[in-house]
Amino acid sequence: MTDFQWVGQRVPKVDALIKATGAAKFTNDISFPDMLTGKLVRSPYPHARILNIDTRRAKRLRGVKAVITGKDTPGVKYGVFPDSRDQYLLAVDKVRYIGEEVAAVAAVDEETAQEAIDLIAVDYEPLVPVFDPQEALQPAAPVIHVHAPNNISTEMFVKHGAVEKGLENSRFQADEQFIIDGLAHCQMEPYVALASYNAISGKLDMWMPHQSPFTKQKGLSNTLKMPLKNIRVLKSCIGGAFGGRSEVSPADFCAALLSMQCGRPVKICYSREETFVTTRQKHPWIIDIKMGVDRDGKLLASKIKILADGGAYNSTGQIAISVAYTIFESTYRISSLSYQATRAYTNNPIRGAMKGHGIQQFMFALESVWDILAEKAGMDPLEIRLKNIVKKGEKLNSGSQITSCHLRESLVRVADVTQFKKKWRSPSPRRGIGISCSSMISGFNLGFRSGSTAYIKFNEEGEATLFTGTTDNGQGNDSMMVQVAAEGLGISMDDINLISADTDLTPLDPGSYSMCAAFVSANAVKAAAADARRQIFEIAADRLEANILDLELRDKQVFVKGSRQAGIPVKKLLVQACRSGKPVFGTGYFRPDIDYFRDHTKKGRQKGQMTGAYSFGAAVAEVEVDSETGVVKVLRITTAQDCGFAINPMAVEGQMEGSVGFALGQALFETLDLRQGQVMNASFFDYKLPLSSDMPEVCSMIVESNDPNGPYGAKEAAEAVHPAALAAIVNAIANALGIRPKNIPITPEKVKKLLAASQRTIA
Amino acid sequence: MTDFQWVGQRVPKVDALIKATGAAKFTNDISFPDMLTGKLVRSPYPHARILNIDTRRAKRLRGVKAVITGKDTPGVKYGVFPDSRDQYLLAVDKVRYIGEEVAAVAAVDEETAQEAIDLIAVDYEPLVPVFDPQEALQPAAPVIHVHAPNNISTEMFVKHGAVEKGLENSRFQADEQFIIDGLAHCQMEPYVALASYNAISGKLDMWMPHQSPFTKQKGLSNTLKMPLKNIRVLKSCIGGAFGGRSEVSPADFCAALLSMQCGRPVKICYSREETFVTTRQKHPWIIDIKMGVDRDGKLLASKIKILADGGAYNSTGQIAISVAYTIFESTYRISSLSYQATRAYTNNPIRGAMKGHGIQQFMFALESVWDILAEKAGMDPLEIRLKNIVKKGEKLNSGSQITSCHLRESLVRVADVTQFKKKWRSPSPRRGIGISCSSMISGFNLGFRSGSTAYIKFNEEGEATLFTGTTDNGQGNDSMMVQVAAEGLGISMDDINLISADTDLTPLDPGSYSMCAAFVSANAVKAAAADARRQIFEIAADRLEANILDLELRDKQVFVKGSRQAGIPVKKLLVQACRSGKPVFGTGYFRPDIDYFRDHTKKGRQKGQMTGAYSFGAAVAEVEVDSETGVVKVLRITTAQDCGFAINPMAVEGQMEGSVGFALGQALFETLDLRQGQVMNASFFDYKLPLSSDMPEVCSMIVESNDPNGPYGAKEAAEAVHPAALAAIVNAIANALGIRPKNIPITPEKVKKLLAASQRTIA
């Protein structure tokens, strides 16, 4: 570590100053003199046929420059995967949830746009809706999509080994059902899209918060039927994503279509309510888990059944229901298993990606079951986990290899620091302690976009410009890339200009989801810096009469290691490179070695490597419960994260603390309150996010395992802490109450009900 | 030629549509909501000491946001060459010409800025000025700069062989003096600079018309004492340059300093008058030429003395007085020569680069002398030129090699097409015909910026983005680069996005001066495309089981040449490249093999290659003179240009026609009318530019010599036509009048004076 000048150091983010002073330009801060305001007409019905849309009065309103309905779109359907595109850009036949987009207008100001929206008359024929996923799967349920008469949006099956036999052979068994509510991302930045179409050049410029400019560009190309090269997604600052900003959004293509129609830039900025209701949300789940262990607590068999409420359209449903299995097997040796997950269509809002899709839902349930089994087996929660967790070098059932793993170390660390075993066995009055862990992937197969390229160019003073396609959603990716480049180039972070996340300017990159940034994108940056350094060394070796391997690069000079000889300024070497006909230009590429395949039949066959590396997190939560009020106070959360190597420990800790905040909200407060398809709490007043005053004391520990393929050993950081902390809180509440909550969030009312039902009070 | 799909074709410019429709964004079209207007306080005196500057009243004016004087600048001097920096950013001690910048303000609007300017009180102590360069060199002349007590701005000496002996041995001699007036560039876009400084990030964004973003960036870094990486020059459309937009301008650094002071974007847009008076202008010259030829007309000796009026500061003076020699020796075998050029400081406006600096001035004189010598030797003008012009393979006295040359072919072609010899010997009444030729360089030693790099990246559909640092001033460089890339990549020009001329985004490039674009920048683009193609072929060869050399790339597919086998889509190969861990990314570099050196002593030693390639032009002009009114009408100009290979013949012809327009103006109309240092005709009403109705019939012929080092054989195009056409017009007038005009422009008054002095009329 100490050999490094920039990586591994606690450096402030490169955008800290502009963010702190308000100088940062988010999409809504970007304006053009002739820009129009766009607004969307949304369905008031959860399920209805559209009989007619009359836009004539709106079109006649002074100040209205464009009005579009489904007829003005290219008539295609969109969705995340080519085989699951089920939604028209603007509803043409039916609406399937309250809030669905039906028409769009662009006008000179917000008031006029709103007036125009109100003047658009849509005739609906209401249809019978269905909101409960279990009901939706009944034969008599209303059919939401013609292509899915059974209302099954997507299904997944995995089978491995002799499950029934495994269960039979089990000494201890658990069979439990868990229910998890839907959540909203609550990014601080509301969704906003700005489109500027140039009819002369045919080029479309777009700004919006996103997780990958290339994914947005591709989504726009698909929905607008426009060549990729004519669409440019430009960089703006982004106020949070959490998985919710990867798909193409109606705001994106409606702003584009409106701009194309009237030849002026159009900005659509969602209200907070629209952001809550019509952007993708976390899937509510019902999970049935049956698990059996032998007398030593070793897992023999698991039988898992999941029903997810997908809402009105597919979105990322396929992924949501598959990742639970993925993370299960990369955390614990699963032995025999059957896994069946179904995602039902309902007339609720659309559910998609949020913070690991379905991982937290599942890990809450799984980690609850581990505690149940531990109790049955007479073991403590740490003990049973240590018996079953994966280790470095193991090959998973799916075929993936674990290349680095300090999960054991992480669990032991949080247990030791908190005196977990002692406190768990004899909790103080009203207090409880819980432990949990999880794993996480670092990158995923994203086809053409699985790998990342980075370039580094130099100006005539030897300062560098780094080009990377990755996105910074606030987590510090921009800073990480500059750190890695500075380390490789032996120059100061201040000497590096960064160009990132622009489809025209930067090379292809997976983007800032599937946890690619550290493992994939930073690896590409490291390779680009190494490439530039090699070119510089080749010239320097000659001048210094030294072997390339004996050279080092620091403070913009090349030295012979250990020699007192004066260094050669890099600038001189750059000039010499130009003169010799080959200027220094670093290019680097990294693509994780992934080849995972799974068939979609009930046979659930699979093979190959799923991700570049697995990372791991563990947490211990300590809580206090007021049996009078039912209020749970989380006192302390101690987390450990194996992120391979912390490129910026301060940023990793920040992300770990953020994960604790998410876990806290999901465990105790957050629920998207739906009644008859209507979100009842679509505001920060009604939707209870944890406040800073709700935050417990947090202790974050980084446990480095140095992945052999990660840049400087780094891999994904901090996301496993979220499910671990969530389940740890639940387990701590169970430890305090002596009763186990099986649905989250665990509100004071639920605590009181649990206590009442069990006729217990706690001392 | 016919093998090429894109190069060599008459394709419309890539920016034709946006230019034709007015959608193109020039710097003045770029605005920001909080942008301020900047204005400059200028000296009303040609020479004066500054006693005091009182800005208090201006600063108090409502709406004024920043006021700067010399004290608010970094205190450095600027200028083109490190050893000739002689001007403060804002005058601190003295002012040296009428129009010199003394202070600057930024205010909320133009009226307020103007009012503030008027409120700034500058106390001057007028000093004796000197306007005539000959007077300036007298011992008693007022001293303009302390560092140059003799008022010599710069001098140049070349000596080669035994000149006096050569003159003695000459059978025919000429000894003439020529006088050439100063000119203005008259770019359609007035000078304008927009600066946006971000105090938080410390970054400065700049837009302005320029010939190289990197040269402007470097100039700003020098004048603002700011690291290069903090200065970004961005692309905007440019409305003409002609050499006048390479140096850093007071508008540039004043806009920057004002923006830094008040934290808002500042735009300074010069009035037409400011553009005329205070941007760089063409040097007025006095040239003495003594030349001798043997009985066969072969040049034996030349003795050349040049006095240039440089105005108040150095600017590009060093180059201006050296290029005459350069072009002399690359057009004619010079045998023995002495060349002495002096640039005097005067209290006139500053003279700098314009269309070949000093080439037209000199070639007008030289080509007049050839006609005089031809007459003395009893030869015709074509004959004497053909005896003396350079040929391919010759090594010049300076040490440069001529790698390709169709100068003879060009001269013969224009003579043949016009029946020159016949018409010259027996002109029609009042009519005359003249012939002339010239050469031009293709790129020059620009230090770190002598070479150009280009990159090509691909999106996931196989469309490409080309990065090049070169600038398009209107001549079509952007289009040329796209053409060359399309040819190399086997894709359509429409499939290529171009990113050009942005210091952050694009790689180092010499810029669009010294005639680098075709020879240097397009060569880099060609290399980048070849690099990408090679990578694609390497993958395809495997799949097609073919040798790389047998492959061809067209219509986004790779084929085996001559085979009927189906091609492989490039997109598939690009995906495969990604999967194999090395995505296709083309990089190309080209640096002309130049190593020219000249010492600055009176010995005038020199050696090495001056430029990448020489190009050549020839012209025949046919005129009609009205002896009554003195009005010259140019009837027809026939030009031929050896540009090696015409990448876009339509663009080359357009540039040739533009050169004819310049020649026409300089021959007959244009002069910057100075009286006591004051420009008397600083408007398009007073300064006579040729109108389209003044334009003669123009016949442009491209003569291709295929330079061995040029991209597809290309080198500089069309600039040699300017001096050739200028001198041809003059020679034609001499042919018509029987008397030789020796100063230009040849106005009707001058024609009448010539006729009166010689007591001749023409039939």
Side-chain angles (χ1 to χ4, degrees), chain B residues 546-590:
Chain B
N547 189 308
I548 282 187
L549 298 174
D550 294 333
L551 298 180
E552 61 177 340
L553 180 48
R554 55 187 153 83
D555 304 331
K556 291 196 200 173
Q557 296 200 56
V558 178
F559 299 89
V560 178
K561 278 181 208 159
S563 149
R564 282 199 231 156
Q565 211 181 339
I568 309 180
V570 166
K571 188 183 160 181
K572 276 199 181 167
L573 298 166
L574 294 173
V575 175
Q576 195 177 325
C578 285
R579 294 236 168 94
S580 74
K582 201 177 174 315
V584 175
F585 178 69
T587 64
Y589 180 69
F590 184 81

Side-chain angles (χ1 to χ4, degrees), chain A residues 17-19 21 23 31 33 198 200-201 203 214 217-218 221 227-232 445 447-449 452-453 455-465 467 493-499 502-508 571 574-575 577-583 585 587 589-591, chain B residues 17-19 21 23 31 33 198 200-201 203 214 217-218 221 227-232 445 447-449 452-453 455-465 467 493-499 502-508 571 574-575 577-583 585 587 589-591:
Chain A
L17 255 176
I18 61 162
K19 293 277 178 71
T21 55
S31 281
N198 185 323
I200 307 296
S201 65
K203 301 275 172 91
F214 298 100
Q217 182 194 33
K218 185 74 181 151
S221 171
L228 269 187
K229 75 171 269 287
N230 284 359
I231 301 166
R232 177 176 177 187
N445 193 346
F448 212 123
R449 274 168 263 123
S452 177
T453 306
Y455 324 136
I456 295 170
K457 76 175 179 104
F458 294 88
N459 69 23
E460 58 185 275
E461 293 299 336
E463 296 156 336
T465 304
F467 291 76
M493 285 177 70
D494 281 343
D495 287 330
I496 298 175
N497 276 335
L498 175 73
I499 308 288
D502 183 309
T503 54
D504 261 20
L505 308 182
T506 62
L508 265 180
K571 187 184 160 181
L574 294 174
V575 175
C578 285
R579 293 235 167 95
S580 75
K582 202 180 173 313
F585 178 69
T587 64
Y589 180 69
F590 184 80
R591 186 183 191 278
Chain B
L17 255 177
I18 62 161
K19 293 277 178 72
T21 55
S31 280
N198 185 324
I200 308 296
S201 65
K203 300 273 172 88
F214 298 101
Q217 182 194 33
K218 186 73 180 154
S221 172
L228 268 188
K229 77 172 267 290
N230 284 358
I231 300 166
R232 179 177 176 188
N445 193 348
F448 211 121
R449 276 168 263 125
S452 177
T453 307
Y455 325 136
I456 295 170
K457 76 174 179 105
F458 295 87
N459 69 23
E460 56 186 276
E461 293 298 336
E463 297 155 336
T465 304
F467 291 75
M493 285 177 71
D494 281 343
D495 287 330
I496 298 176
N497 276 335
L498 175 73
I499 308 287
D502 183 309
T503 54
D504 261 20
L505 309 181
T506 62
L508 266 179
K571 188 183 160 181
L574 294 173
V575 175
C578 285
R579 294 236 168 94
S580 74
K582 201 177 174 315
F585 178 69
T587 64
Y589 180 69
F590 184 81
R591 185 183 192 279

Side-chain angles (χ1 to χ4, degrees), chain A residues 17-19 21-25, chain B residues 195-205 226 230 256 259-265:
Chain A
L17 255 176
I18 61 162
K19 293 277 178 71
T21 55
K25 296 265 182 208
Chain B
S196 178
Y197 180 74
N198 185 324
I200 308 296
S201 65
K203 300 273 172 88
L204 173 68
D205 285 347
M226 199 187 271
N230 284 358
S259 180
M260 289 162 77
Q261 192 165 102
C262 59
R264 291 167 62 169

Side-chain angles (χ1 to χ4, degrees), chain B residues 299-322:
Chain B
L299 181 62
L300 295 182
S302 320
K303 201 169 173 182
I304 291 155
K305 211 176 153 193
I306 289 167
L307 176 58
D309 175 2
Y313 294 99
N314 266 323
S315 182
T316 59
Q318 282 183 20
I319 304 176
I321 61 171
S322 74

Side-chain angles (χ1 to χ4, degrees), chain A residues 74 324 440:
Chain A
M440 190 52 57

Side-chain angles (χ1 to χ4, degrees), chain B residues 25 52 92 153 206 325 410 434 457 468-469 478 552 585 677:
Chain B
K25 295 265 182 206
N52 186 43
V92 289
S153 150
M206 294 278 326
Y325 162 69
S410 299
K457 76 174 179 105
T468 165
D478 280 358
E552 61 177 340
F585 178 69

Side-chain angles (χ1 to χ4, degrees), chain A residues 565-628:
Chain A
Q565 209 181 340
I568 309 181
V570 166
K571 187 184 160 181
K572 274 198 181 167
L573 298 167
L574 294 174
V575 175
Q576 195 177 328
C578 285
R579 293 235 167 95
S580 75
K582 202 180 173 313
V584 175
F585 178 69
T587 64
Y589 180 69
F590 184 80
R591 186 183 191 278
D593 192 12
I594 44 183
D595 55 359
Y596 180 73
F597 160 83
R598 192 185 74 235
D599 76 13
H600 289 277
T601 69
K602 293 205 177 179
K603 289 185 184 159
R605 280 166 307 200
Q606 53 181 343
K607 62 174 181 182
Q609 186 73 24
M610 158 85 61
T611 182
Y614 291 95
S615 51
F616 303 92
V620 163
E622 295 169 76
V623 304
E624 186 174 73
V625 185
D626 184 326
S627 62
E628 206 69 37

